[in-house]
Amino acid sequence: MSGILGHFGRQFFAAATIACLLLALGICGWWLSVAQGRDDRFEPATSGLALVAAITGVYAERRAAARERRAQALHALAAELVKNTELLGTGFAPLDRFAPRARVYPRLMQSATDAALVSGAFSQPGHDELVALLHRWRDAVHDFNRRLDLTELRTYVSRVPPEELLAIDEAMHRPGGQLDGLRQLRGSLEELLRGRYAEGGVAALLQPLA
């Protein structure tokens, strides 16, 4: 039943709610003024129409709240994607081969991704691809940030020779490495947001990536 109702828009439910309430009010007014309450058949009709109006109003409110949650989650995801794109583009420049030094790396953001998955904003059917991609992206970012913690701990706690610093940096930047994998996932997420979720200002938020 919810799948069938899901095809109708907010205007439909608003119109149905108002129509049922007006019809119930009209029947009630006619029953009290003309029939003077003698015909009991109109009492169930007015009560039934009022119940239908209440049900459609509640359903419309739930749909509106769900759309608002999705819009907020999408806006946060788009803003986070822009920031992570900047970090992946300039925050991990290769070390100077002639003067390598230990460094503190920036951390990729994932709070909007976590919030989108936990909030249930995309729990309705039709968002399976996005949810699966968000899970992959969150796991990849979490693993990458954890590896950065270990790398900084290794390079700052003990004296690491320049050759090892360069080896660590080259492993991060090698083709098919973690940075490449993150950039590919980032690109897939951007493509999906642009293709299926670009409405409601998401396209404008992603404009810096164009």
Side-chain angles (χ1 to χ4, degrees):
M1 183 67 176
S2 60
I4 298 175
L5 293 176
H7 294 292
F8 296 101
R10 182 179 182 180
Q11 292 79 5
F12 169 82
F13 290 103
T17 301
I18 295 173
C20 289
L21 288 175
L22 290 177
L23 185 57
L25 181 62
I27 293 175
C28 185
W30 182 88
W31 180 42
L32 292 176
S33 60
V34 178
Q36 297 182 351
R38 291 190 299 270
D39 194 343
D40 293 338
R41 292 178 299 175
F42 292 101
E43 185 174 1
T46 56
S47 299
L49 288 171
L51 286 174
V52 170
I55 292 172
T56 55
V58 169
Y59 186 78
E61 177 63 27
R62 290 184 60 186
R63 290 193 65 200
R67 282 196 300 270
E68 184 177 352
R69 286 197 304 271
R70 280 197 297 271
Q72 292 175 349
L74 286 170
H75 288 183
L77 286 172
E80 186 175 87
L81 188 65
V82 171
K83 180 60 177 178
N84 282 331
T85 301
E86 296 174 359
L87 294 175
L88 287 171
T90 61
F92 298 93
L95 291 177
D96 184 355
R97 297 188 59 84
F98 300 102
R101 295 186 302 176
R103 58 188 289 191
V104 175
Y105 295 95
R107 299 302 192 266
L108 296 180
M109 303 170 62
Q110 64 177 98
S111 59
T113 302
D114 289 337
L117 291 172
V118 172
S119 68
F122 303 104
S123 60
Q124 295 296 323
H127 304 292
D128 295 344
E129 184 180 0
L130 177 60
V131 170
L133 187 55
L134 288 177
H135 276 291
R136 291 174 57 197
W137 171 253
R138 182 187 62 178
D139 291 343
V141 169
H142 177 76
D143 183 61
F144 183 67
N145 287 341
R146 183 177 60 84
R147 287 175 182 267
L148 292 180
D149 292 338
L150 297 175
T151 298
E152 292 174 358
L153 183 64
R154 170 75 178 90
T155 56
Y156 275 96
V157 169
S158 59
R159 294 179 60 87
V160 177
E163 295 79 9
E164 185 173 346
L165 288 175
L166 288 174
I168 294 173
D169 191 64
E170 288 172 358
M172 184 183 300
H173 289 88
R174 67 178 175 83
Q178 274 203 305
L179 277 176
D180 265 6
L182 283 167
R183 287 170 180 143
Q184 290 174 8
L185 278 175
R186 189 221 63 81
S188 298
L189 184 56
E190 179 188 352
E191 182 180 359
L192 183 59
L193 291 178
R194 286 187 183 277
R196 292 180 53 186
Y197 300 93
E199 72 282 354
V202 175
L205 289 173
L206 294 175
Q207 190 59 35
L209 304 181

